[in-house]
Amino acid sequence: MRRFLDMTYKAVRRIVIGVVGATVLLLGVIMLVTPGPAIVFIPAGLAILGLEFAWARYWLRRARYTIRSQNSHNRRRRAEKRQQSESPQSANDRDEKDKAEKDRSRDS
């Protein structure tokens, strides 16, 4: 009898996690085309499903990796743009503009 109850508990747990996780995931997918925080619901649904299903853990890991690599790529691009805008030539140009403004204000 104990063995039967143990198997039933596992099956019920798996079904409940599947239904709740699939519902949250489906809401996230719907929110991709409607207003709402899809970026929160989709990973949450995958995390819930990941408690029982290996494929959900795989997709969650893959999503984390993609987001992490995109963030690092964007940070790198912003840093490169910042370095280009702060190049020595632009600093010299700024100094020349400041001198020209001072000369104009002195002449006035």
Side-chain angles (χ1 to χ4, degrees):
M1 182 69 173
R2 177 81 174 137
R3 189 176 201 181
F4 174 74
L5 289 176
D6 191 39
M7 286 186 348
T8 306
Y9 169 76
K10 287 181 182 180
V12 170
R13 180 177 187 265
R14 190 173 178 110
I15 290 169
V16 169
I17 287 175
V19 169
V20 172
T23 303
V24 173
L25 182 63
L26 183 63
L27 284 172
V29 171
I30 290 171
M31 287 181 197
L32 286 173
V33 293
T34 61
I39 199 142
V40 174
F41 274 73
I42 292 173
L46 287 174
I48 292 169
L49 288 169
L51 294 172
E52 280 295 322
F53 303 104
W55 60 266
R57 286 190 294 272
Y58 168 77
W59 282 103
L60 184 60
R61 212 174 299 124
R62 187 171 173 180
R64 283 182 187 155
Y65 173 77
T66 302
I67 291 168
R68 197 173 294 134
S69 65
Q70 284 295 322
N71 283 343
S72 65
H73 176 72
N74 289 339
R75 274 193 225 113
R76 213 174 310 121
R77 278 190 17 212
R78 280 185 295 216
E80 289 171 0
K81 283 183 181 180
R82 224 178 287 128
Q83 285 177 346
Q84 289 173 355
S85 67
E86 294 295 325
S87 66
Q89 185 178 5
S90 65
N92 289 337
D93 292 344
R94 255 188 270 122
D95 291 341
E96 290 174 13
K97 286 179 186 178
D98 289 342
K99 288 179 186 176
E101 285 178 22
K102 286 180 185 177
D103 289 341
R104 276 190 235 130
S105 65
R106 226 179 329 159
D107 292 337
S108 300

